[in-house]
Amino acid sequence: MNSDSRFVIVGLGLLGGAYALGLRKAGFQHVAAIDISEEALDFARRRDYIEEGRARDFADLLARADYIVFSLYPTTFIQWVEQYGQFLRPGCLCTDVSGVKLGLVDRVQALLPAGVEFIASHPMAGKERSGVENAHLVDFAPANFLITPTERNTEAGVAFARQLAQALGFARVHVISPAEHDRMIGYVSQLTHAIAVSLMCAPGAERFADYTGDSFRDLTRIASLNDAMWAELFLWNREYLTEEIDAFTARLQQLKGCLERGEREALREMFRTSTAARAAFDRKEREG
């Protein structure tokens, strides 16, 4: 990667826009985008997020690209590669921003032409908003960047993903397998969103605004979702997510049992356990 490298962002939504903006700030001049929305492309051009943008007739952009970032929903991602992957040139390195990996990474790697390498990655830096117009709100600095290589990937491919994360400003980069990624995401991301959604789907939840404090507000912040994207992510990772929902339900039932039996000390022990776990979590966060 150098200042003359040519990047193409496929899918100019929140994260695609944030990548484009981050790359331009890092000094990369040749950042182009492909998106079905002319409005999104016009916005990005006006804000100087991209040098060029196309909604159609983009085969030449792909043929010139050194690096491609796919910012598409998983199903759309596969369909796009099936239709347009043929235009990628040998030597091109590709990555993505998808929140699921199993069933996606192997499929994309198998579909791409010989000489084109796809190294999957996941920036853990979303927001409760969507669209390129909100890309400036994304802060990569405190976020984790996950790289999920397979046996098809080369050292050069992993190095590219690391360099990209560093160029965008991520302080923490971790390498894990696609399976480890999806199991972990099922807990730390998807389960937390499922809990927030469940809280806000309670009858009359909107009336709680008159009485709520920080705890309810913080717990439900992520309940405002891009419904199309999150429904797809949940369904793609349904096996791991349902396991995590079952495990969480068991822990909640444990707490309920303590209440029903009036077991004060058992409740206090659960609270001490959670407090210690959170303290360890905070230390790990500070240490990076």
Side-chain angles (χ1 to χ4, degrees):
M1 290 172 53
N2 57 61
S3 59
D4 292 325
S5 297
R6 293 187 175 274
F7 288 85
V8 174
I9 312 293
V10 181
L12 198 60
L14 178 75
L15 283 176
Y19 269 55
L21 175 58
L23 287 168
R24 294 286 268 183
K25 286 183 175 179
F28 296 98
Q29 298 303 309
H30 305 301
V31 180
I34 295 169
D35 196 275
I36 59 174
S37 170
E38 292 283 6
E39 291 79 8
L41 294 169
D42 288 342
F43 178 92
R45 278 191 292 261
R46 290 196 308 271
R47 297 298 181 93
D48 199 33
Y49 290 10
I50 58 174
E51 181 181 45
E52 186 176 2
R54 309 247 191 105
R56 61 188 65 84
D57 301 325
F58 44 71
D60 61 312
L61 280 184
L62 297 174
R64 297 197 305 269
D66 299 305
Y67 307 106
I68 294 179
V69 176
F70 293 104
S71 182
L72 302 169
Y73 298 174
T75 301
T76 302
F77 185 6
I78 290 172
Q79 293 170 345
W80 194 96
V81 174
E82 286 176 333
Q83 186 169 0
Y84 301 112
Q86 60 183 307
F87 298 115
L88 276 60
R89 65 175 182 80
C92 180
L93 289 172
C94 311
T95 192
D96 70 327
V97 304
S98 178
V100 293
K101 300 305 179 190
L102 282 178
L104 175 67
V105 179
D106 287 344
R107 184 80 181 275
V108 171
Q109 288 178 331
L111 285 168
L112 287 171
V116 176
E117 182 173 355
F118 171 59
I119 173 68
S121 59
H122 183 191
M124 300 287 288
K127 302 293 289 184
E128 296 78 56
R129 304 184 187 184
S130 59
V132 66
E133 65 273 14
N134 292 307
H136 67 288
L137 299 174
V138 176
D139 185 7
F140 292 138
N144 290 305
F145 187 90
L146 309 180
I147 304 172
T148 60
T150 73
E151 67 281 354
R152 289 175 179 257
N153 288 121
T154 64
E155 291 184 7
V158 176
F160 154 64
R162 285 187 179 278
Q163 291 165 7
L164 177 62
Q166 292 164 359
L168 292 171
F170 286 88
R172 296 178 298 218
V173 179
H174 306 281
V175 178
I176 59 176
S177 72
E180 290 172 317
H181 170 277
D182 284 10
R183 180 175 291 281
M184 179 273 298
I185 287 297
Y187 180 71
V188 301
S189 177
Q190 294 176 346
L191 175 63
T192 55
H193 283 80
I195 293 168
V197 167
S198 298
L199 286 168
M200 290 309 302
C201 282
E206 67 280 357
R207 75 178 186 275
F208 300 150
D210 294 332
Y211 318 110
T212 191
D214 288 344
S215 56
F216 185 82
R217 189 178 299 110
D218 291 346
L219 275 170
T220 57
R221 174 183 59 81
I222 56 174
S224 179
L225 299 177
N226 177 330
D227 58 286
M229 180 185 78
W230 279 97
E232 176 145 347
L233 292 176
F234 273 29
L235 289 169
W236 268 76
N237 203 33
R238 72 184 78 179
E239 179 179 353
Y240 286 139
L241 178 54
T242 53
E243 288 179 6
E244 295 299 347
I245 290 173
D246 286 343
F248 173 77
T249 302
R251 292 189 293 272
L252 197 59
Q253 288 294 331
Q254 178 187 357
L255 192 150
K256 178 184 175 184
C258 294
L259 294 174
E260 291 174 336
R261 295 184 296 273
E263 297 174 347
R264 181 184 299 269
E265 184 53 36
L267 279 174
R268 293 185 65 185
E269 180 58 28
M270 288 190 73
F271 299 159
R272 288 192 291 266
T273 298
S274 70
T275 299
R278 178 65 200 207
F281 176 94
D282 290 340
R283 285 196 299 273
K284 181 72 173 177
E285 282 266 285
R286 290 192 297 270
E287 293 166 1

